[in-house]
Amino acid sequence: MIVILKKNAQPQQVELFDAWLHNMGLETHKSIGANHTIIGLVGDTSRVDMESILALDIVEAVRRIQEPYKNANRKFHEEDTVITLSNGAKIGGGHFMVMAGPCSVETEEQIISVARSVKAAGATVLRGGAFKPRTSPYAFQGLQGEGIKLLLEAKAETGLPIVTEIMDAKHLPLFEDVDIIQVGARNMQNFELLRELGRTDKTILLKRGLANTIKELLMSAEYICAGGNEKIILCERGIRTYETATRNTLDLSAVPVLHEITHLPVVIDPSHATGNSAYVPSMAVAAAACGADGIMIEVHNDPMHALCDGAQSLTPAQFDTLAKKIFAVREVAMS
Amino acid sequence: MIVILKKNAQPQQVELFDAWLHNMGLETHKSIGANHTIIGLVGDTSRVDMESILALDIVEAVRRIQEPYKNANRKFHEEDTVITLSNGAKIGGGHFMVMAGPCSVETEEQIISVARSVKAAGATVLRGGAFKPRTSPYAFQGLQGEGIKLLLEAKAETGLPIVTEIMDAKHLPLFEDVDIIQVGARNMQNFELLRELGRTDKTILLKRGLANTIKELLMSAEYICAGGNEKIILCERGIRTYETATRNTLDLSAVPVLHEITHLPVVIDPSHATGNSAYVPSMAVAAAACGADGIMIEVHNDPMHALCDGAQSLTPAQFDTLAKKIFAVREVAMS
Amino acid sequence: MIVILKKNAQPQQVELFDAWLHNMGLETHKSIGANHTIIGLVGDTSRVDMESILALDIVEAVRRIQEPYKNANRKFHEEDTVITLSNGAKIGGGHFMVMAGPCSVETEEQIISVARSVKAAGATVLRGGAFKPRTSPYAFQGLQGEGIKLLLEAKAETGLPIVTEIMDAKHLPLFEDVDIIQVGARNMQNFELLRELGRTDKTILLKRGLANTIKELLMSAEYICAGGNEKIILCERGIRTYETATRNTLDLSAVPVLHEITHLPVVIDPSHATGNSAYVPSMAVAAAACGADGIMIEVHNDPMHALCDGAQSLTPAQFDTLAKKIFAVREVAMS
Amino acid sequence: MIVILKKNAQPQQVELFDAWLHNMGLETHKSIGANHTIIGLVGDTSRVDMESILALDIVEAVRRIQEPYKNANRKFHEEDTVITLSNGAKIGGGHFMVMAGPCSVETEEQIISVARSVKAAGATVLRGGAFKPRTSPYAFQGLQGEGIKLLLEAKAETGLPIVTEIMDAKHLPLFEDVDIIQVGARNMQNFELLRELGRTDKTILLKRGLANTIKELLMSAEYICAGGNEKIILCERGIRTYETATRNTLDLSAVPVLHEITHLPVVIDPSHATGNSAYVPSMAVAAAACGADGIMIEVHNDPMHALCDGAQSLTPAQFDTLAKKIFAVREVAMS
């Protein structure tokens, strides 16, 4: 961290500030220029509140030069993280994973039928919502515990590992046999939940919040890492902008940015980002082309009657066509 | 809800759609124009997924004409909600409330000293953070249960009711003697938490999320109302935009907008919105001038050494000056 | 356009409103429901100000059901627009175009050398800035007229048509031999300029403004069309969001959205969107994969010494590698 | 400007970089720490492209410590700029100015009638649009030259100076007798226009663009200053965010921010920001309370029939009531 002092900073003020910094366990390194005095801080600056320093009378500017995330930082962990699931499917380090399934689990028949379809098309993970975060308290909230049971039946039937969303740490016992626990966009900064997940040994799919920066996404991953669990898959699913032609704006450049600064695998969810099944195929193919480590797509056997988010689901036939294209494009793009 | 059909919609498709709507318990009302057929839906449309309908081949557009929130809607509850606290202080319906105190509770001495200062300046509620949601897992996370104890001591000492943030429903027992439970911006859509708070009889201060619309704020209030608790204070604390000169962008026009569509009181938090104590006084005065029902301000006896968010805190002396101006401006503005 | 009246609208008010609408040359079509009266407006509603109607006491809501753009609307022009340049290169309707070159034209040697490189790599249009819109009046503003001369020399040398930006209609005479005139993001709503370009027979590359919606982009295209010039290429180059990891956020989903609602070709500019040459290749490949009709990429023979935007330029060698991948991915994606 | 080098930067690379900087006329000042080498640049860094430097292999980060605007910078010009108009009305340095009038000039009767009303209510400047930037080419574009004539008649009749928008520098001759030339939000970065206005001796009202930062607003002011014209009034009129309850989001905190960093006066336009006359009064009063140097409000004698933006106009009677409150609140707030 670098602190730039104002031109007119009085020596005794500077000394006081220096003492305060040492008191926080930091070494300082001063460099006096014609116009500015610059203080470099050495030590663990991750606890230092930049805004408090900036509020000091003598301070002109404060700049962080080290990222505040450590475990998730590629600088300290050069190799890509590779995560392997129960069926042997891998993600990260060159391995590509397709997750597919309905927004909500509805019936045994539905989930098993979709699971079979997506497996046949090449998906290696089954997604399905049991606990559904809905903007309205009057909307369908998911089958909850019952939904997880149905997912496990589909897993037993097809061998596909399952990913499903958790909304509160108190439901963790229900997730014992779930392969990947999803943290939804609205809970990306539910720090109590992240902390609890850090204490499990489950793979976590962490979705970026609608208004969260890429750095904040990594800080939330850091909450999980800090508890000892580094099996984290990051997911970009659209951010909130002024544009209303799509539900959210898919920030696909998050893929190369994240690959540069973290070793964790990155998945794209074009279904929630666009909110419109007509735009899902082109965005899914684009995600494969730009190097995403995985794609998560909503597939429903009867999108017209889906209890939620039907508008963004593909039919199994559409998904089958899309999956072929995804694999073909990825092969060329990664060659 | 109104559905506009495409010009080329086939009669049998329209019939099918009509049957599907009736099946959902809705009556339909058709109006056939030269260019478009319009179907008006009558009944409880709060469960209808607009996007699913929009996805149908024959549908050109779907428009909601009723707001999806009911309990919080002024149309169904014309009178302003007035909330009265233990010390007789009221908010809403013309009553104005000033909440002040430190970002974090640090020590007994600190919180009691600040409580006395803000009370003397005219504040009627003491704010103070015990559980702190921090972006970084390495930052100070608050004194937690101990912090609440210190707040209760300050309350006993000064008679000021207290407001403090909850981060997880499992901590509810610690909040038994807390007067106002705050739901932070990051938890505005933590629906499990909102549901639990709906079952309590506490006053809830619900902060708008950084990327949430005013309608979503009301939908989150609706989650609390749906459980039977209508003692809700809404709080605007800045939204995330591309501008970086302030921490967030204070959306002050939320005050007249909310006053038009809901009966719930509205509080402004200029400290978190701007993130800079230099900008707090002008925004606090502006909030009073535009009719906010309350203001929430960070005050710290030693902002330079505050464990968090020192940059945005006022000193007790600054707050005293500001409070005088706030009251004076409000009197003129509301006359 | 549909107007939904309030429940309590008085008959004489409704009559007055009806008369006012007829006066504007519109026919009305009333449909009286149990809860709402709906008035459908028939006629040319493109001049009707929705907000004025919404301001009326008796009006609950107003909804447009027809898009306000006509010439650019696919509904009225189903076939893709195909534009052919002097060298026979085409864009639109399945034809793909790669435009490449330096941000700024600097010297004859530079522009001819880059032109040769990008042509060899497969580009069919040379881009280069002569007039440069710079945020700071103290920054390099481009070689202006001299820059256009150098571009024309490069065109004579290589046969590549050229695209370069115009900043003011008064410079139009200098653009006589330019093949594609670019309207930059900051001028997307410079309506006087658009109007003048509508009177020319040049191909126009219209860049989306940093904070403009897709609909506004089409309305600006409409300004050009209205003058009789329909040779318009739309360009997505990133929108402004809260995320700072990239210069802007590339809204790649604009490609399928635009393809659905307009017949005009769509080009992606990943160089300006990301502002970082490290992210350009993955975004360029993604653009090709999702069906963009063209890609525009900055290439500089010496990015380190580029007079502007060097950070986002590729070297000719990097571009050569990228172009191969772009063509290969597009072939698979479009098959 | 400070450049932080990577840990592994090779000495010969650093030397090369150093030479390059000297070549640009900059002195460098090196400070070698345990973890980082920091290079401070001394000299005119306003021409240095930060992104190009950041693109260098050996560079970890680049930070600007001096603002890139000079003439508009309060650091180099401590005193508030005060602008005096033909009728003696002043703005800045404690002087407050109310500008009012219709969105568009429509008829002689209309503009004179509104001018008299707003003058009686305390406005000291008449606003009125002659050239109207409209999103749609099919919407009313203003009376143009004829509109300016009508404004000048109203000025002759009432003595009120006038402010009206320019859309292209070629219309400048028509603005000879206009007191304040407005640059609209869409033209804030029309640099050719700004440059021309810098050569005039007119007072310029520069509106912030919908997606422009406060710093960019100052850079655009800098374009005008650079030509020798420092009579600039800045205007905040709402920025584009994801919130749709108001047309734009009024960023009122721009007032204290601008007052801190520039000496130029700041005006708030609540009419365009909210787009809804119901929200204008509370936002106008808030603007007065927070220290804005002026307010610009749309007033129309018959908002229902206004040719544009009727929804946001006040009636003369509403404006009269509002003006009284504005002056009263300002008096208390500034005391």
Side-chain angles (χ1 to χ4, degrees):
Chain A
M1 193 175 279
I2 287 173
V3 179
I4 299 130
L5 300 183
K6 285 186 185 157
K7 232 182 191 166
N8 60 358
Q10 297 304 310
Q12 68 271 39
Q13 289 178 299
V14 179
E15 247 172 71
L16 215 72
F17 177 51
D18 215 48
W20 183 65
L21 290 168
H22 280 101
N23 206 24
M24 292 175 75
L26 297 165
E27 275 180 63
T28 60
H29 184 272
K30 217 170 298 176
S31 137
I32 301 172
N35 287 291
H36 292 91
T37 295
I38 296 166
I39 300 183
L41 309 194
V42 181
D44 179 8
T45 60
S46 60
R47 271 159 231 259
V48 179
D49 180 23
M50 285 175 64
E51 292 184 343
S52 293
I53 293 184
L54 190 55
L56 299 180
D57 263 0
I58 59 169
V59 172
E60 169 91 25
V62 187
R63 309 291 184 210
R64 205 177 264 291
I65 56 176
Q66 252 171 314
E67 297 82 6
Y69 46 92
K70 296 174 186 174
N71 289 289
N73 197 330
R74 192 181 280 278
K75 279 193 197 152
F76 307 124
H77 182 320
E78 287 197 16
E79 295 293 296
D80 284 349
T81 286
V82 179
I83 295 171
T84 309
L85 300 182
S86 59
N87 62 341
K90 289 181 201 299
I91 184 168
H95 301 281
F96 187 67
M97 185 176 276
V98 175
M99 309 177 182
C103 177
S104 292
V105 180
E106 294 163 24
T107 63
E108 187 182 333
E109 196 196 338
Q110 170 235 23
I111 192 67
I112 292 182
S113 142
V114 174
R116 283 188 179 135
S117 305
V118 300
K119 186 181 179 186
T124 48
V125 175
L126 174 66
R127 61 146 290 154
F131 291 90
K132 301 298 306 172
R134 303 301 300 270
T135 306
S136 165
Y138 311 120
F140 174 60
Q141 309 277 324
L143 293 183
Q144 317 214 351
E146 182 58 29
I148 294 184
K149 268 189 219 153
L150 296 179
L151 280 168
L152 292 173
E153 282 179 41
K155 177 183 175 178
E157 198 70 31
T158 60
L160 287 182
I162 59 176
V163 53
T164 193
E165 181 168 353
I166 193 165
M167 285 177 61
D168 196 302
K170 74 178 179 220
H171 299 137
L172 258 176
L174 294 169
F175 286 72
E176 207 166 320
D177 298 319
V178 168
D179 301 87
I180 306 179
I181 301 181
Q182 175 178 318
V183 176
R186 295 183 183 83
N187 276 320
M188 192 202 91
Q189 293 194 316
N190 181 337
F191 300 125
E192 291 292 328
L193 175 60
L194 299 178
R195 239 191 289 268
E196 291 283 345
L197 295 174
R199 293 188 198 113
T200 71
D201 65 345
K202 293 287 177 193
T203 296
I204 310 298
L205 181 88
L206 180 63
K207 287 195 154 189
R208 180 180 180 186
L210 263 86
N212 287 109
T213 62
I214 289 173
K215 287 203 179 154
E216 287 168 347
L217 174 61
L218 289 180
M219 291 309 294
S220 286
E222 201 73 14
Y223 262 92
I224 302 172
C225 290
N229 182 2
E230 302 208 354
K231 290 190 292 185
I232 303 168
I233 301 170
L234 304 171
C235 179
E236 155 64 27
R237 44 78 70 222
I239 61 173
R240 188 161 262 183
T241 69
Y242 65 84
E243 177 59 69
T244 56
T246 43
R247 183 196 286 155
N248 296 122
T249 298
L250 180 65
D251 179 12
L252 208 56
S253 45
V255 174
V257 173
L258 282 166
H259 279 169
E260 186 178 59
I261 61 180
T262 184
H263 49 88
L264 297 172
V266 182
V267 156
I268 294 295
D269 173 352
S271 304
H272 284 87
T274 63
N276 186 329
S277 61
Y279 308 145
V280 168
S282 49
M283 289 303 103
V285 173
C290 78
D293 302 292
I295 293 180
M296 191 170 187
I297 292 176
E298 283 198 8
V299 178
H300 196 285
N301 48 346
D302 183 5
M304 275 256 337
H305 290 81
L307 290 174
C308 84
D309 284 342
Q312 72 199 30
S313 291
L314 301 183
T315 61
Q318 289 170 324
F319 176 68
D320 189 65
T321 305
L322 173 57
K324 284 188 179 65
K325 183 150 290 181
I326 286 173
F327 293 124
V329 164
R330 180 172 155 87
E331 204 186 314
V332 175
M334 295 300 107
S335 67
Chain B
M1 192 173 279
I2 287 174
V3 179
I4 299 129
L5 300 183
K6 284 187 186 155
K7 231 182 192 166
N8 59 358
Q10 297 305 310
Q12 67 271 38
Q13 288 178 299
V14 179
E15 246 171 73
L16 214 71
F17 178 49
D18 214 49
W20 184 65
L21 291 168
H22 280 100
N23 207 25
M24 293 175 75
L26 297 166
E27 275 180 63
T28 59
H29 183 274
K30 217 169 298 174
S31 137
I32 300 171
N35 287 290
H36 292 91
T37 295
I38 296 167
I39 300 184
L41 309 195
V42 182
D44 180 8
T45 59
S46 60
R47 272 159 230 263
V48 179
D49 180 25
M50 284 174 66
E51 293 183 343
S52 293
I53 292 184
L54 191 55
L56 301 180
D57 263 359
I58 59 168
V59 173
E60 169 91 27
V62 187
R63 309 292 185 211
R64 207 177 261 289
I65 56 176
Q66 253 171 313
E67 297 83 5
Y69 46 93
K70 295 175 186 174
N71 290 287
N73 196 330
R74 194 183 276 280
K75 278 192 198 153
F76 306 124
H77 183 320
E78 286 197 16
E79 295 293 296
D80 283 350
T81 286
V82 179
I83 294 170
T84 309
L85 301 181
S86 60
N87 63 342
K90 289 181 200 300
I91 184 167
H95 301 280
F96 187 67
M97 185 175 274
V98 176
M99 310 175 181
C103 177
S104 291
V105 181
E106 293 163 24
T107 65
E108 186 183 336
E109 196 196 339
Q110 170 236 21
I111 192 68
I112 292 182
S113 144
V114 173
R116 283 189 180 134
S117 306
V118 301
K119 186 183 179 186
T124 48
V125 174
L126 175 66
R127 62 144 290 152
F131 290 89
K132 302 297 307 171
R134 302 301 301 271
T135 305
S136 165
Y138 311 120
F140 174 60
Q141 310 277 324
L143 293 183
Q144 317 216 349
E146 184 56 31
I148 292 184
K149 270 189 216 152
L150 295 178
L151 279 169
L152 291 173
E153 282 179 40
K155 177 184 177 178
E157 198 70 32
T158 59
L160 286 182
I162 58 176
V163 53
T164 193
E165 179 168 354
I166 193 166
M167 283 176 63
D168 196 301
K170 75 177 179 220
H171 299 136
L172 258 177
L174 293 168
F175 286 73
E176 207 167 321
D177 298 318
V178 168
D179 300 88
I180 306 178
I181 301 180
Q182 175 177 318
V183 176
R186 292 183 184 84
N187 276 319
M188 193 201 91
Q189 293 195 317
N190 181 336
F191 300 125
E192 292 291 326
L193 176 59
L194 299 178
R195 238 191 290 267
E196 292 283 345
L197 295 174
R199 293 187 197 115
T200 71
D201 65 346
K202 294 286 178 195
T203 297
I204 309 299
L205 182 87
L206 179 64
K207 288 195 154 189
R208 179 179 179 186
L210 264 86
N212 287 110
T213 62
I214 289 174
K215 287 204 179 154
E216 287 168 346
L217 175 61
L218 289 180
M219 291 310 294
S220 286
E222 200 74 14
Y223 261 92
I224 302 173
C225 292
N229 182 2
E230 301 208 356
K231 291 192 292 185
I232 303 167
I233 301 170
L234 304 172
C235 179
E236 156 64 28
R237 45 77 71 222
I239 60 172
R240 187 160 263 182
T241 69
Y242 64 83
E243 177 60 69
T244 57
T246 44
R247 183 196 289 156
N248 296 120
T249 298
L250 180 64
D251 179 13
L252 208 55
S253 44
V255 174
V257 172
L258 282 167
H259 279 171
E260 186 180 58
I261 60 179
T262 184
H263 49 87
L264 298 172
V266 182
V267 156
I268 294 294
D269 173 351
S271 305
H272 284 87
T274 64
N276 186 329
S277 61
Y279 308 146
V280 168
S282 49
M283 288 303 103
V285 173
C290 77
D293 303 292
I295 293 180
M296 192 170 187
I297 292 175
E298 284 198 7
V299 178
H300 197 283
N301 48 346
D302 184 5
M304 275 254 337
H305 290 81
L307 290 173
C308 84
D309 283 342
Q312 72 199 31
S313 292
L314 302 183
T315 62
Q318 290 171 323
F319 176 68
D320 189 65
T321 305
L322 173 58
K324 283 189 180 63
K325 183 148 290 179
I326 286 173
F327 292 124
V329 163
R330 180 171 156 86
E331 204 185 314
V332 175
M334 295 298 107
S335 67
Chain C
M1 193 175 279
I2 288 173
V3 179
I4 300 129
L5 300 182
K6 285 186 186 156
K7 231 184 193 165
N8 58 357
Q10 297 304 310
Q12 66 270 39
Q13 289 179 301
V14 178
E15 247 171 70
L16 214 71
F17 178 51
D18 214 48
W20 184 66
L21 291 168
H22 279 101
N23 208 25
M24 295 175 73
L26 297 166
E27 275 180 63
T28 59
H29 184 273
K30 216 170 300 174
S31 137
I32 301 171
N35 287 289
H36 293 90
T37 295
I38 295 166
I39 300 183
L41 309 194
V42 181
D44 180 7
T45 59
S46 61
R47 272 159 231 263
V48 179
D49 180 22
M50 284 175 65
E51 292 183 345
S52 294
I53 293 183
L54 191 54
L56 300 180
D57 263 1
I58 59 167
V59 172
E60 169 91 26
V62 187
R63 311 290 185 211
R64 208 177 261 290
I65 55 176
Q66 252 171 315
E67 296 83 7
Y69 46 93
K70 295 174 187 177
N71 289 288
N73 196 330
R74 194 183 278 277
K75 278 191 197 152
F76 307 123
H77 183 321
E78 287 197 15
E79 294 293 295
D80 284 349
T81 285
V82 178
I83 296 170
T84 309
L85 301 181
S86 59
N87 63 340
K90 290 181 200 298
I91 184 167
H95 301 280
F96 186 68
M97 185 175 275
V98 175
M99 308 175 182
C103 176
S104 293
V105 180
E106 294 163 24
T107 63
E108 188 183 332
E109 196 197 340
Q110 170 235 22
I111 192 68
I112 292 182
S113 141
V114 173
R116 283 188 180 136
S117 306
V118 301
K119 185 182 178 186
T124 48
V125 175
L126 175 66
R127 60 147 290 153
F131 292 89
K132 302 297 307 171
R134 303 299 302 269
T135 305
S136 166
Y138 312 120
F140 173 61
Q141 309 277 323
L143 294 182
Q144 316 215 351
E146 184 57 32
I148 293 184
K149 269 189 221 154
L150 297 178
L151 279 168
L152 291 173
E153 282 179 41
K155 177 182 175 178
E157 197 69 33
T158 60
L160 287 183
I162 58 176
V163 53
T164 193
E165 179 167 355
I166 193 166
M167 284 177 63
D168 196 300
K170 75 180 177 219
H171 299 137
L172 258 176
L174 294 168
F175 286 72
E176 208 166 320
D177 298 319
V178 168
D179 301 87
I180 305 178
I181 302 181
Q182 175 176 320
V183 176
R186 294 181 182 84
N187 277 320
M188 192 201 91
Q189 293 194 316
N190 183 336
F191 300 124
E192 291 292 327
L193 176 59
L194 298 178
R195 239 190 290 268
E196 292 284 346
L197 295 174
R199 293 188 198 112
T200 71
D201 65 344
K202 293 286 177 194
T203 297
I204 309 299
L205 181 87
L206 179 64
K207 288 196 155 189
R208 178 179 180 187
L210 264 85
N212 287 109
T213 61
I214 288 174
K215 285 201 180 156
E216 286 168 347
L217 175 61
L218 289 180
M219 291 310 293
S220 286
E222 200 74 14
Y223 262 92
I224 302 171
C225 291
N229 182 0
E230 301 208 355
K231 290 191 291 184
I232 303 167
I233 301 170
L234 305 171
C235 179
E236 155 65 27
R237 43 77 72 223
I239 61 173
R240 189 160 261 183
T241 69
Y242 64 84
E243 177 60 69
T244 56
T246 43
R247 184 197 285 155
N248 295 122
T249 298
L250 180 65
D251 178 13
L252 209 56
S253 44
V255 174
V257 172
L258 282 167
H259 278 169
E260 186 180 57
I261 60 180
T262 185
H263 49 87
L264 298 171
V266 183
V267 156
I268 294 294
D269 173 352
S271 304
H272 284 88
T274 64
N276 187 328
S277 61
Y279 308 146
V280 167
S282 49
M283 289 304 103
V285 173
C290 77
D293 302 293
I295 293 180
M296 192 170 186
I297 291 175
E298 283 197 8
V299 177
H300 197 284
N301 47 346
D302 184 5
M304 274 257 336
H305 290 81
L307 290 175
C308 84
D309 284 343
Q312 72 199 30
S313 291
L314 302 183
T315 61
Q318 288 170 326
F319 175 70
D320 189 66
T321 306
L322 173 57
K324 284 189 178 67
K325 184 149 290 180
I326 286 172
F327 293 124
V329 163
R330 179 170 156 89
E331 203 187 314
V332 175
M334 294 300 107
S335 66
Chain D
M1 192 174 279
I2 288 173
V3 179
I4 300 129
L5 300 182
K6 285 189 185 155
K7 232 183 191 166
N8 58 357
Q10 297 304 310
Q12 67 273 36
Q13 289 179 299
V14 179
E15 246 170 73
L16 214 71
F17 178 51
D18 216 46
W20 184 65
L21 292 168
H22 279 101
N23 207 26
M24 293 175 73
L26 297 165
E27 276 180 62
T28 59
H29 184 274
K30 217 170 298 175
S31 139
I32 301 171
N35 286 291
H36 293 90
T37 295
I38 296 167
I39 301 183
L41 309 195
V42 182
D44 180 8
T45 58
S46 61
R47 273 161 230 260
V48 179
D49 179 24
M50 285 175 64
E51 292 184 343
S52 293
I53 293 184
L54 190 56
L56 300 180
D57 263 0
I58 59 169
V59 173
E60 168 92 27
V62 187
R63 310 291 184 208
R64 208 176 261 289
I65 57 177
Q66 252 170 315
E67 297 83 7
Y69 46 93
K70 295 175 184 174
N71 290 287
N73 197 330
R74 194 182 277 280
K75 278 192 196 151
F76 307 123
H77 184 320
E78 286 198 15
E79 295 293 295
D80 283 349
T81 286
V82 178
I83 295 170
T84 308
L85 300 182
S86 59
N87 63 341
K90 289 180 201 300
I91 184 167
H95 302 281
F96 186 68
M97 185 174 274
V98 175
M99 309 175 182
C103 177
S104 292
V105 181
E106 294 162 24
T107 64
E108 188 183 333
E109 196 197 338
Q110 171 235 22
I111 192 69
I112 293 183
S113 143
V114 173
R116 284 190 178 134
S117 306
V118 301
K119 187 183 178 184
T124 49
V125 174
L126 175 67
R127 62 145 289 154
F131 291 89
K132 303 297 307 171
R134 303 300 301 272
T135 306
S136 166
Y138 311 120
F140 174 60
Q141 310 276 324
L143 293 182
Q144 317 216 352
E146 183 58 29
I148 293 184
K149 271 189 217 154
L150 296 178
L151 279 168
L152 291 173
E153 283 179 39
K155 178 182 175 180
E157 197 71 33
T158 59
L160 287 182
I162 58 175
V163 53
T164 194
E165 179 167 354
I166 194 166
M167 283 177 63
D168 196 300
K170 74 178 178 221
H171 299 135
L172 258 176
L174 294 168
F175 286 73
E176 207 166 320
D177 298 318
V178 168
D179 300 88
I180 306 178
I181 301 181
Q182 174 177 316
V183 177
R186 293 183 183 83
N187 276 319
M188 193 201 90
Q189 293 195 317
N190 181 337
F191 300 125
E192 291 293 326
L193 176 59
L194 299 178
R195 238 190 290 266
E196 291 283 346
L197 295 174
R199 293 187 198 115
T200 72
D201 65 346
K202 293 286 177 194
T203 297
I204 310 297
L205 181 88
L206 180 63
K207 289 196 153 189
R208 177 179 180 187
L210 264 86
N212 287 109
T213 62
I214 288 174
K215 287 203 179 154
E216 286 167 347
L217 174 61
L218 290 179
M219 291 310 294
S220 286
E222 201 74 13
Y223 262 91
I224 302 172
C225 292
N229 182 3
E230 301 208 355
K231 291 191 292 184
I232 303 167
I233 302 171
L234 305 171
C235 179
E236 155 64 28
R237 44 76 71 222
I239 60 174
R240 188 160 262 182
T241 69
Y242 64 84
E243 177 61 69
T244 57
T246 44
R247 183 195 288 156
N248 296 121
T249 298
L250 180 65
D251 179 12
L252 208 55
S253 44
V255 174
V257 172
L258 281 167
H259 279 170
E260 186 178 59
I261 60 179
T262 184
H263 48 87
L264 298 172
V266 182
V267 156
I268 294 295
D269 173 351
S271 304
H272 283 88
T274 64
N276 187 329
S277 61
Y279 308 145
V280 168
S282 49
M283 288 304 101
V285 173
C290 78
D293 302 293
I295 294 180
M296 191 169 187
I297 292 176
E298 284 198 8
V299 177
H300 196 283
N301 47 348
D302 184 6
M304 274 258 334
H305 290 80
L307 290 174
C308 84
D309 283 343
Q312 73 199 30
S313 291
L314 301 183
T315 62
Q318 289 171 326
F319 176 67
D320 190 66
T321 306
L322 173 57
K324 285 189 178 65
K325 184 149 288 179
I326 286 173
F327 292 123
V329 163
R330 180 172 154 87
E331 204 187 312
V332 175
M334 294 299 106
S335 68

